[in-house]
Amino acid sequence: MLNRRGVLAAGGLAAGVFGVPQLLAPSEGHEDSTHGEHKPATFQESKAFSGPRPEIVPWTRPMPVPPVLKPLVSTPKQEIYQLSIERTTAEILPGLQSPVMGFGGQFIGPTIKAKTGRKTLIMFQNRMDEAANVHLHGGHVPPEHDGHPKDLIEPNRTRLYLYPNTQQGATLWYHDHSHGTEAAHVYLGLHGAYVIEDDSERGLNLPTGAYDIPIMLRDIQFDASGNIVVFDDPANRTIVLANGIPQPYFEVAARKYRFRLINTANQRVFKLKLTGDKFTRIGSDGGLLATSLEADELTLSSAERADVVVDFSKYPIGSKITLTDAVGGEILRFDVVRRATDNSRVPAALRPLPALPLSTVDREVDLFYVFKPNERPDGVINGKVFDMDRVDFTIKRGATETWLIKSSDPTGVKHNFHLHLVQFRVLERNGGPPHPGDAGLKDTIPITAGETVKVQATFTGYTGRYVYHCHFLEHSWIGMMAQLEIVP
Ligand SMILES: [Cu+2]
């Protein structure tokens, strides 16, 4: 029921899905006009819950830390894993098991820990009744292992993905990228953290081990009975989850922690704050920043990451510090419960960014909607809907290019931009300096309508086809995606 057609019939034509609630009204001849109402799709409606939805009582459940996946084989050169893709259930609302999808049968997949210089091989087994695939977001990987939308793992089949881990330490994540179903699959839980550790970070003495915690933030919508609503206006996804739980607490020691914040929401921009405190930003999408930066607020659009250090040592035992979002309110509460020794530190200088080579090619990328009477809009890049058989940009391997990424969207809807394979640097935003959130090595950036962002990337490594797209997944789903081919 979650294939493209099913989703459209069930509610995808409600324009709100795409973030444009007023511009597309249902009309005669409409695919779903016979329903007589905009009924959002709920997951597994045949087994739908009835009765009142369980109440969320804030700060009554601990935030889980996803377990680290154990390799089947581990040598200094490579680690081999096996991981299933399956339908399962999860207790997101208290006392209610909601049908979801999960890697390893978990609503949020296990964390995969890799190491720079050591390969990771993962045999993914699709135990679902529909095709899926896996993209390592932010990973520098060969094209056949990138989870291209056309490379699917059919039901009851397996596929081996090789991740070379030749890049520096970074907070990446893995998620479904199957064309036409990625938005539903990721929304239903097919995502997890992938952390590349890097020996060269050791000398910095940042918090590690139990004090280095991935936190995946996302939103979700339930109906009045507790069924997950898959396709509706994203503004109705008012429940924010931290590692899969709404408003959990997390007990911390009075010392420094490294939190790897990952926005795994389908389409959302978080504006995060800590009550009475600041974040010390140390890392971005592609790894450590050149210098640590103090920040009162963090802006993270879908798929962006921020590594931050928070120092709880100044707080008395019993203190409670809350992570808040400008729209979603209170998300997560840190409870300081014990003292601990702490030899970690946050040096001002972290890791120099690679020098910017001379760019030889200029390109322009424009993301926007195209409206059609009585139909869902198309999401387009440079005027074209995604076609996986069409190559939009041909790039010489090793070339350094400057891309002007903009959105001339007439609706004013927010978008963002994700480039596969390589990390880029933001040179300018709206003709001026980059925003603080643009610092460091980036693979995803927010683009509000009317904005222009100039970025530079060097396409090293592999030849072959990769995609770039809006990472608001209901937008890429309707075509806001394009393809590049790297040639020798
Ligand atoms: Cu978009």
Side-chain angles (χ1 to χ4, degrees):
M1 78 165 265
L2 286 168
N3 62 22
R4 191 184 178 91
R5 235 178 114 199
V7 160
L8 283 174
L13 284 165
V17 173
F18 313 110
V20 280
Q22 299 91 2
L23 287 164
L24 196 72
S27 66
E28 304 263 33
H30 214 258
E31 197 177 333
D32 67 348
S33 61
T34 50
H35 290 249
E37 56 175 325
H38 278 307
K39 190 168 176 294
T42 56
F43 187 50
Q44 293 197 351
E45 291 200 64
S46 55
K47 297 180 197 165
F49 305 123
S50 56
R53 181 173 96 192
E55 204 183 323
I56 296 165
V57 185
W59 329 131
T60 50
R61 287 196 289 165
M63 180 184 76
V65 177
V68 175
L69 189 64
K70 288 196 171 54
L72 302 174
V73 175
S74 182
T75 73
K77 292 223 164 128
Q78 64 178 28
E79 289 191 303
I80 302 172
Y81 296 89
Q82 191 172 298
L83 194 54
S84 63
I85 303 171
E86 43 189 290
R87 290 184 185 273
T88 180
T89 62
E91 190 179 336
I92 302 167
L93 294 172
L96 193 70
Q97 289 291 332
S98 297
V100 295
M101 294 175 176
F103 288 106
Q106 296 164 223
F107 174 56
I108 287 178
T111 299
I112 297 164
K113 282 212 173 163
K115 200 171 156 180
T116 300
R118 182 169 67 189
K119 288 178 193 149
T120 299
L121 290 115
I122 309 176
M123 181 65 85
F124 283 97
Q125 308 166 306
N126 184 4
R127 293 188 193 148
M128 301 200 304
D129 50 1
E130 60 187 74
N133 79 359
V134 186
H135 168 56
L136 177 59
H137 186 114
H140 189 71
V141 312
E144 63 273 29
H145 300 289
D146 194 50
H148 191 284
K150 72 175 164 43
D151 290 333
L152 302 177
I153 316 172
E154 296 298 331
N156 302 311
R157 300 301 292 267
T158 61
R159 185 177 174 115
L160 183 70
Y161 286 76
L162 163 69
Y163 302 136
N165 303 318
T166 49
Q167 64 204 91
Q168 70 181 65
T171 303
L172 312 183
W173 61 300
Y174 60 102
H175 64 78
D176 179 272
H177 212 307
S178 54
H179 193 49
T181 40
E182 77 277 37
H185 285 181
V186 175
Y187 184 77
L188 286 168
L190 288 183
H191 56 76
Y194 185 100
V195 175
I196 302 183
E197 295 180 320
D198 185 340
D199 281 348
S200 70
E201 283 186 18
R202 269 196 207 156
L204 297 173
N205 210 14
L206 294 162
T208 57
Y211 308 107
D212 176 355
I213 308 283
I215 301 178
M216 278 161 275
L217 298 175
R218 58 161 292 173
D219 50 18
I220 196 164
Q221 181 187 355
F222 292 93
D223 70 13
S225 300
N227 303 292
I228 295 177
V229 180
V230 182
F231 284 102
D232 191 12
D233 189 335
N236 294 331
R237 295 172 188 162
T238 52
I239 295 172
V240 176
L241 309 179
N243 285 346
I245 300 283
Q247 294 185 301
Y249 65 86
F250 187 65
E251 293 187 340
V252 293
R255 55 154 289 153
K256 288 187 280 303
Y257 279 75
R258 176 180 187 164
F259 295 117
R260 298 171 185 264
L261 302 170
I262 310 175
N263 182 348
T264 64
N266 271 26
Q267 51 172 311
R268 189 176 184 114
V269 180
F270 285 110
K271 286 191 187 300
L272 303 170
K273 284 188 174 180
L274 280 173
T275 50
D277 207 338
K278 290 174 197 279
F279 306 96
T280 304
R281 277 197 82 149
I282 58 166
S284 186
D285 299 344
L288 290 180
L289 298 171
T291 57
S292 55
L293 302 169
E294 296 289 313
D296 288 317
E297 187 178 76
L298 291 177
T299 301
L300 278 187
S301 71
S302 294
E304 286 189 284
R305 289 86 72 205
D307 279 23
V308 300
V309 172
V310 180
D311 189 353
F312 297 105
S313 68
K314 56 186 169 295
Y315 295 108
I317 305 297
S319 301
K320 296 169 196 322
I321 299 95
T322 309
L323 180 71
T324 65
D325 171 51
V327 175
E330 296 180 314
I331 294 175
L332 164 63
R333 195 179 75 185
F334 298 104
D335 295 355
V336 182
V337 296
R338 63 190 164 88
R339 300 250 145 244
T341 54
D342 186 1
N343 302 317
S344 70
R345 59 197 184 97
V346 186
L350 293 164
R351 180 174 183 142
L353 294 170
L356 283 169
L358 203 64
S359 170
T360 54
V361 178
D362 289 325
R363 297 186 196 269
E364 219 173 271
V365 175
D366 189 2
L367 307 102
F368 57 96
Y369 281 121
V370 173
F371 290 95
K372 297 175 285 183
N374 305 328
E375 282 181 65
R376 67 168 170 80
D378 281 334
V380 302
I381 292 185
N382 293 348
K384 291 176 180 166
V385 170
F386 178 59
D387 176 349
M388 56 182 118
D389 297 318
R390 184 188 69 226
V391 172
D392 296 279
F393 289 159
T394 301
I395 297 172
K396 190 128 179 80
R397 179 167 58 184
T400 297
E401 301 195 349
T402 304
W403 290 22
L404 189 69
I405 300 153
K406 60 176 189 173
S407 172
S408 58
D409 203 302
T411 62
V413 161
K414 286 190 180 90
H415 298 288
N416 80 356
F417 175 81
H418 170 47
L419 178 59
H420 284 222
L421 181 67
V422 290
Q423 297 288 329
F424 54 78
R425 299 272 292 280
V426 178
L427 305 180
E428 284 176 15
R429 190 174 274 272
N430 305 323
H435 288 174
D438 298 326
L441 298 170
K442 295 290 294 173
D443 54 53
T444 310
I445 46 168
I447 309 269
T448 300
E451 280 197 304
T452 55
V453 188
K454 194 186 276 186
V455 310
Q456 184 173 313
T458 302
F459 293 84
T460 53
Y462 308 104
T463 56
R465 293 182 176 189
Y466 296 88
V467 292
Y468 51 99
H469 57 93
C470 179
H471 212 288
F472 288 177
L473 294 178
E474 286 85 0
H475 299 190
S476 56
W477 166 58
I478 58 165
M480 205 175 283
M481 178 148 64
Q483 180 163 237
L484 60 84
E485 179 162 12
I486 301 174
V487 297

